[in-house]
Amino acid sequence: ALTAQVGKLRGMYPQLVSFFVDAKAEYIFNFWHTTLAFFLRSHPPPPGVRISNVAPQFALSSLDVRDLGFWEIVGKSTIDAMAALIAQTGPCLSLSARPQPNSLPPILEVPAAVTSFSSRLILCYFLAQPDAVRLERLLAQFSISGVEIHCFTTAPLTPPAGRPLALESHAKQRALFKHYFDRCTGIICSTGNETIWEAVCRGVPVLTVPTSGHPEQMMNARIHGRAFPASVRAVSRVRIEDVRWLVDFKPSEESIAESSALRERATTFDAEGARLLCGA
């Protein structure tokens, strides 16, 4: 299959070359696209064209393999190989919540900070449906009062026989998710990046559950836990104690400092972004 894909890419070379010639680009930004990197490595653009590679995956190189599990090591090896290919085409910039060499702020638009925890709303998003089902069953078994819980998955959960769902279930949709995100006082989600960064920026806690079989999410959980120890709790399976931690969360000096630092970090893009991306 890989050989076939490489052959297909090579067959597209004339079309790709024509596209870049016609575009007369001064800058090319590659956001973790290994196919584009493979093409640019064999067909470098004319002198004067700057290539910048931007992706949160570059930050995973900071993880020590001695701290990782077997599947994380396998995943990191793959990511390191992809990063090495991409790096042959130009400078690589990570997205990092903390200031690091050759890194950009992870978010550009700073969301409004949470102003009150008096009305509790927990927002959930899961890549894998079984994680949402487990959460729903926990909530049905252990009653948690005084909190509104909305869960987004690829398709709405099916109510079990004989009882209603213990949470509000929605098919994923951006507008409705943002509506509840702006009101939420806590997040339960798979371990990507954007939702966690934006939640911490708002000042709300995150319970994150790496999707089973996704080593990159397992490593993301380590990165987020290290960056936000007071705001982010990573677990392999949702437990009712973790849900209660989220529901009963009270901002501490440490969590407020984490949120403030990330908000401040987001404001540095105007000053640093152009220099790093374009060499300005």
Side-chain angles (χ1 to χ4, degrees):
L2 178 59
T3 303
Q5 290 298 318
V6 171
K8 181 179 179 180
L9 173 62
R10 287 175 174 163
M12 296 173 61
Y13 277 178
Q15 180 181 353
L16 292 171
V17 170
S18 176
F19 169 80
F20 282 108
V21 169
D22 293 342
K24 297 183 174 62
E26 296 182 21
Y27 303 97
I28 298 174
F29 301 112
N30 182 0
F31 297 92
W32 200 250
H33 199 299
T34 52
T35 302
L36 176 59
F38 191 85
F39 169 78
L40 292 173
R41 187 183 64 171
S42 57
H43 289 73
V49 177
R50 180 181 175 90
I51 300 173
S52 292
N53 303 291
V54 183
Q57 287 88 342
F58 293 123
L60 299 178
S61 64
S62 66
L63 293 174
D64 190 330
V65 295
R66 291 172 295 184
D67 298 329
L68 306 181
F70 174 77
W71 289 114
E72 290 173 287
I73 294 173
V74 172
K76 187 175 187 300
S77 299
T78 302
I79 288 172
D80 286 348
M82 295 169 69
L85 168 64
I86 294 171
Q88 294 177 33
T89 67
C92 298
L93 305 173
S94 68
L95 300 179
S96 173
R98 291 181 173 179
Q100 301 285 348
N102 299 316
S103 69
L104 295 170
I107 56 178
L108 301 181
E109 296 182 3
V110 179
V114 63
T115 57
S116 173
F117 284 82
S118 59
S119 180
R120 297 281 179 167
L121 189 153
I122 304 302
L123 180 61
C124 313
Y125 170 73
F126 293 106
L127 183 63
Q129 204 89 349
D131 290 331
V133 171
R134 174 172 173 76
L135 172 63
E136 192 279 331
R137 288 175 178 170
L138 278 175
L139 294 173
Q141 182 180 1
F142 301 98
S143 177
I144 297 181
S145 60
V147 61
E148 187 178 345
I149 301 178
H150 292 266
C151 184
F152 287 77
T153 45
T154 302
L157 300 181
T158 302
R163 66 171 178 85
L165 288 171
L167 47 69
E168 298 293 330
S169 178
H170 312 276
K172 62 179 182 180
Q173 45 187 306
R174 184 180 298 273
L176 187 59
F177 184 89
K178 185 179 185 308
H179 168 74
Y180 288 120
F181 179 83
D182 292 342
R183 295 173 48 206
C184 76
T185 57
I187 297 279
I188 304 176
C189 64
S190 303
T191 317
N193 289 306
E194 290 85 355
T195 299
I196 295 175
W197 285 327
E198 291 183 358
V200 172
C201 201
R202 281 197 68 229
V204 302
V206 179
L207 177 61
T208 186
V209 188
T211 303
S212 178
H214 285 245
E216 185 175 332
Q217 290 206 8
M218 299 176 192
M219 291 184 284
N220 285 345
R222 294 181 185 274
I223 293 287
H224 292 307
R226 188 168 64 186
F228 312 115
S231 305
V232 176
R233 178 180 291 191
V235 297
S236 57
R237 288 167 63 91
V238 178
R239 303 171 303 170
I240 195 60
E241 304 88 67
D242 300 313
V243 178
R244 287 176 175 150
W245 166 78
L246 198 70
V247 171
D248 297 333
F249 182 85
K250 294 181 180 178
S252 63
E253 291 184 6
E254 292 79 8
S255 68
I256 292 171
E258 290 170 4
S259 178
S260 297
L262 182 54
R263 295 178 72 84
E264 177 64 25
R265 169 91 169 124
T267 65
T268 65
F269 182 83
D270 287 345
E272 293 294 314
R275 180 182 65 82
L276 290 171
L277 286 171
C278 306

